[in-house]
């Protein structure tokens, strides 16, 4: 009887444990891990099927599991830094535990892997973009003439611009994309906003921070960039408009320029068919006042 009670208590406690699974999302990363003898999976497709089945089982038992993006190169560096044997399950477990607090993660909520995997990759890209942009801002330094931190001033300016954009675009759902041309590649940030019952825009804090940081990089480095926004509301046609980043100022794009920007594939440069029922138009006036960031 006591044994049964203890077993029941352990089963209840097991449901209180949150776990993390490191996931190899693509074939190349999976192949890189196969060089370790203790990694015994034969092919990527069956590996994904087994991980998904395990996640479903854990969820059915009331457990909460987070899925983390497992990068073989970062894993090898982690093992070298901590003096671990990389060809050991315990080392992979320690690295996965580290990912739970520092890496790109998503909670498993029963979603199919066809949805989970690309979303996890997107989350990793978002995190890498924010970290890279933050590093750029921190390394710019101070203004030679007044000593003010250029990165901080640019972030304040970017925050002000974002507030002006949200205040001037009216009620409804908003989808905003910011792109800034930096070396070696263009930084892109996406922000979604929708109004609550009182008409106040509701933002995801992580998205807003990333978006503001990317825009601040463009301002601080005087890089070419732009913003495109799409607004949707029940009582009107969807509208698309945008701005060009010039120094620390957002200049409105013409309707034709917005059409070209929105209907061009970012990767290939090919034209994309425009959507029907969408109004490509000039953006609202931001009422932009005096700037606070440095031009240099």
């Amino acid at each position: 009887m006591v044994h049964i009670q203890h077993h029941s208590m352990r089963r209840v406690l097991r449901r209180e444990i949150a776990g993390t699974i490191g996931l190899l999302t693509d074939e190349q990363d999976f192949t890189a891990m196969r060089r370790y003898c203790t990694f015994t999976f034969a092919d990527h497709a069956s590996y994904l099927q087994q991980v998904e089945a395990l996640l479903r089982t854990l969820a059915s038992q009331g457990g909460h599991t987070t899925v983390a993006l497992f990068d073989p190169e970062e894993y090898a560096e982690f093992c070298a830094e901590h003096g671990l044997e990389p060809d050991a399950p315990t080392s992979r477990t320690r690295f996965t535990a580290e990912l739970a607090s520092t890496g790109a993660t998503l909670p498993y909520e029963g979603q199919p892997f066809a949805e989970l995997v690309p979303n996890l990759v997107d989350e990793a890209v978002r995190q890498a973009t924010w970290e890279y942009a933050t590093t750029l801002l921190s390394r710019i330094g101070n203004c030679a003439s007044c000593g003010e931190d250029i990165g901080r001033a640019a972030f304040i300016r970017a925050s002000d611009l974002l507030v002006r954009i949200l205040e001037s675009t009216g009620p409804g759902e908003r989808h905003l994309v910011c792109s800034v041309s930096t070396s070696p590649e263009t930084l892109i940030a996406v922000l979604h906003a929708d109004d609550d019952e009182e008409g106040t825009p509701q933002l995801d804090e992580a998205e807003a921070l990333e978006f503001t940081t990317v825009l601040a990089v463009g301002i601080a480095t005087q890089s070419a960039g732009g913003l495109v926004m799409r607004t949707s509301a029940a009582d009107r046609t969807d509208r698309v408009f945008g701005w060009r980043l010039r120094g620390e100022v957002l200049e409105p794009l013409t309707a034709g320029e917005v059409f070209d920007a929105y209907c061009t594939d970012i990767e290939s440069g090919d034209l994309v068919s425009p959507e029907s029922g969408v109004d490509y138009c000039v953006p609202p006036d931001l009422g932009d006042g005096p700037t606070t960031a440095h031009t240099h």
Side-chain angles (χ1 to χ4, degrees):
M1 182 67 176
V2 173
H3 174 73
I4 295 176
Q5 289 177 341
H6 286 175
H7 180 74
S8 177
M9 290 171 62
R10 285 195 296 268
R11 188 171 55 211
V12 171
L13 286 172
R14 194 176 296 120
R15 291 198 295 266
E16 303 292 327
I17 298 174
T20 304
I21 290 180
L23 183 65
L24 298 160
T25 58
D26 61 51
E27 188 80 38
Q28 182 177 351
D29 287 346
F30 178 84
T31 301
M33 290 301 294
R34 290 203 64 203
R35 69 178 181 267
Y36 301 123
C37 296
T38 56
F39 186 80
T40 57
F41 293 95
D43 65 88
H44 191 232
S46 63
Y47 160 80
L48 291 178
Q49 292 172 356
Q50 291 298 322
V51 174
E52 185 172 16
L54 175 60
L55 287 171
R56 287 177 177 173
T57 299
L58 293 172
S60 69
Q61 297 171 349
H64 174 82
T65 308
T66 297
V67 183
L69 186 69
F70 194 105
D71 184 286
E73 292 185 6
E74 292 181 1
Y75 171 64
E77 293 173 359
F78 176 84
C79 289
E81 180 181 350
H82 292 83
L84 301 175
E85 167 54 56
D87 196 359
T90 53
S91 299
R92 293 194 289 273
T93 300
R94 282 190 57 178
F95 178 64
T96 300
E98 181 81 5
L99 291 178
S101 59
T102 62
T105 62
L106 287 177
Y108 178 72
E109 299 172 333
Q111 65 270 47
F113 261 38
E115 175 185 331
L116 176 66
V117 171
N119 286 346
L120 183 59
V121 173
D122 287 345
E123 179 64 23
V125 172
R126 280 185 52 193
Q127 182 171 314
T129 297
W130 178 77
E131 291 175 351
Y132 178 67
T134 301
T135 300
L136 283 180
L137 282 181
S138 65
R139 290 179 176 176
I140 292 174
N142 298 333
C143 175
S145 59
C146 70
E148 185 173 10
D149 188 312
I150 295 174
R152 181 177 182 277
F155 189 88
I156 293 173
R157 173 61 177 164
S159 300
D160 177 66
L161 286 172
L162 179 56
V163 170
R164 291 174 185 274
I165 289 171
L166 294 175
E167 289 179 345
S168 66
T169 49
E173 183 179 346
R174 306 165 183 85
H175 179 84
L176 187 58
V177 179
C178 175
S179 61
V180 173
S181 297
T182 61
S183 180
E185 60 185 24
T186 298
L187 298 179
I188 298 176
V190 178
L191 180 64
H192 302 83
D194 203 356
D195 297 331
D196 60 17
E197 295 179 356
E198 299 178 353
T200 303
Q202 299 299 301
L203 307 174
D204 179 272
E205 291 185 6
E207 278 192 0
L209 177 60
E210 177 193 344
F211 188 93
T212 306
T213 304
V214 169
L215 179 56
V217 167
I219 294 171
T221 61
Q222 304 288 288
S223 299
L227 288 80
V228 176
M229 172 177 266
R230 178 170 182 157
T231 64
S232 303
D235 58 348
R236 67 168 185 257
T237 302
D238 282 11
R239 297 183 299 154
V240 177
F241 43 83
W243 298 266
R244 178 185 296 106
L245 181 62
R246 296 278 192 180
E248 56 191 74
V249 177
L250 291 178
E251 297 180 350
L253 297 174
T254 66
E257 289 172 328
V258 173
F259 180 89
D260 290 341
Y262 205 76
C263 298
T264 301
D265 184 89
I266 296 177
E267 299 293 337
S268 66
D270 296 334
L271 292 177
V272 179
S273 298
E275 296 181 58
S276 60
V278 175
D279 183 15
Y280 300 90
C281 55
V282 174
D285 182 10
L286 296 182
D288 200 9
T291 60
T292 58
H294 291 275
T295 54
H296 55 284

